[in-house]
Amino acid sequence: MSGIGVTWAIAAMGVAGAAPGAGAAPGAGAAPGAGATASTPGAGGLSDVSLGLLALPAVEAVLMGLLAGLAGALALLSRRVFFTESLTHATFPGAILGVVAATWIAGALGHGRPGFELLSATLLVGAALMCLPMAALMRALTRVEGLGPQAAAGIVLTIGFALGYFLASWFKPLPLKIDSFLTGSVLNVGLVDVAATGAVLAVAAAVVALTGRALVFHAFDPVGHRAAGLSAGWADGAVLVLITATIVVLVPAVGTILPIALIAAPAAALAPSARSARGLLIGAPLLGAACALAGLVLGVALRLSVGGMIAAVAASAYLAAACWRGIRRRSPARRADRP
């Protein structure tokens, strides 16, 4: 199955996963407005939602859509989509270890349950640290003769997912529900999560603005890049760090199995029709932000998992773009223009 096919399947599972607001367990110490569900008893949908509760999730949706689209464009240009897919699941065990660390820290300080800010910070740190050995494993596997990047990504993905479930069972009960690790909870994000996403987006935008031409040069012609006296190691490292940081900061909002949809689908949808790498680096973030915001609105309106709905919208954007290109190729006017 292709990478986008897997993305669509994961998105479908995510939509049926957690309901809005299912991320934080009751009494988990969420900040005001962050841990509460965005709807009140009643008919449901947007009519029951306080706009104040949606302000922070909406900001997070736009920021993570821009960041995911930019990282996806870099991953596509550098042919690291399978690496990105495997790394998303590597954050699962790291996030659990981070939450366990927060619980231990809170217990040692005599605070009982850890606060929402402490949980967010340690979850991000744990997810980032676990990406290091998983990335090294992925790199080692791709060097094995006869083992392609798809197989290597499948091995790392399986190891990360299995290790995450093992740790979740071993350290049960956790102050967060398992759904919050798998599909995230955009409606429960806090200021720490939004600040982390914004900071990574600012760094990524600065890196692309200052060195984007060199990164694209290395992606299309690594031999020529080295011959020009440019550092191949720096280009590889910059792309890997940006992809890893993007995956990590997306965990609180869309979990560990859904980020690949928002990262890969916008870039894949625009790549065949993009006239230049610059156009892709600009268009993919904008499409990613539109998909994230649309998924947030639809998820709340339909009372479905917002993270899953964002992934489904991103996958639908890819399918719509592919269908449109197919229709244009088969149109009589298009065939008449061909020599």
Side-chain angles (χ1 to χ4, degrees):
M1 183 182 294
S2 66
I4 295 297
V6 173
T7 296
W8 178 255
I10 291 175
M13 291 188 295
V15 170
T37 57
S39 59
T40 56
L46 287 172
S47 60
D48 291 338
V49 177
S50 168
L51 293 180
L53 290 178
L54 288 179
L56 199 60
V59 172
E60 172 72 3
V62 172
L63 291 177
M64 73 178 183
L66 292 171
L67 177 59
L70 185 58
L74 291 173
L76 188 66
L77 291 173
S78 59
R79 295 174 293 278
R80 296 186 183 276
V81 174
F82 283 106
F83 169 83
T84 304
E85 184 177 4
S86 66
L87 210 58
T88 56
H89 288 63
T91 59
F92 185 22
I96 290 178
L97 290 177
V99 170
V100 171
T103 305
W104 288 347
I105 293 173
L109 296 177
H111 294 161
R113 283 183 175 271
F116 189 78
E117 291 78 11
L118 179 60
L119 281 173
S120 296
T122 55
L123 185 150
L124 293 175
V125 172
L129 292 178
M130 184 57 70
C131 285
L132 299 178
M134 291 296 186
L137 176 61
M138 178 72 177
R139 193 176 184 88
L141 289 173
T142 54
R143 295 177 179 175
V144 176
E145 186 176 355
L147 193 66
Q150 297 93 331
I155 293 173
V156 175
L157 186 150
T158 304
I159 291 175
F161 204 66
L163 181 58
Y165 259 106
F166 169 76
L167 293 174
S169 301
W170 183 270
F171 292 107
K172 191 182 292 185
L174 294 171
L176 295 179
K177 295 180 180 179
I178 194 66
D179 291 338
S180 65
F181 295 105
L182 298 179
T183 59
S185 183
V186 182
L187 299 179
N188 288 337
V189 294
L191 291 176
V192 173
D193 306 317
V194 176
T197 306
V200 174
L201 175 60
V203 172
V207 170
V208 171
L210 296 175
T211 64
R213 297 184 69 177
L215 295 178
V216 173
F217 183 16
H218 177 264
F220 282 99
D221 188 5
V223 176
H225 186 272
R226 288 193 297 270
L230 300 175
S231 174
W234 186 92
D236 280 331
V239 172
L240 291 178
V241 169
L242 289 179
I243 291 174
T244 302
T246 299
I247 293 171
V248 168
V249 297
L250 291 186
V251 170
V254 290
T256 59
I257 64 174
L258 300 179
I260 186 60
L262 192 56
I263 292 173
L270 297 179
S273 56
R275 296 185 177 181
S276 65
R278 181 181 181 183
L280 182 63
L281 289 170
I282 295 175
L286 295 178
L287 180 58
C291 290
L293 201 56
L296 172 65
V297 173
L298 289 174
V300 173
L302 300 177
R303 299 182 63 82
L304 295 171
S305 166
V306 176
M309 185 59 69
I310 289 174
V313 170
S316 298
Y318 169 80
L319 291 177
C323 291
W324 173 249
R325 286 192 296 271
I327 292 173
R328 290 192 63 188
R329 282 196 298 268
R330 290 171 174 79
S331 64
R334 188 81 171 181
R335 288 197 297 266
D337 291 338
R338 293 177 182 175

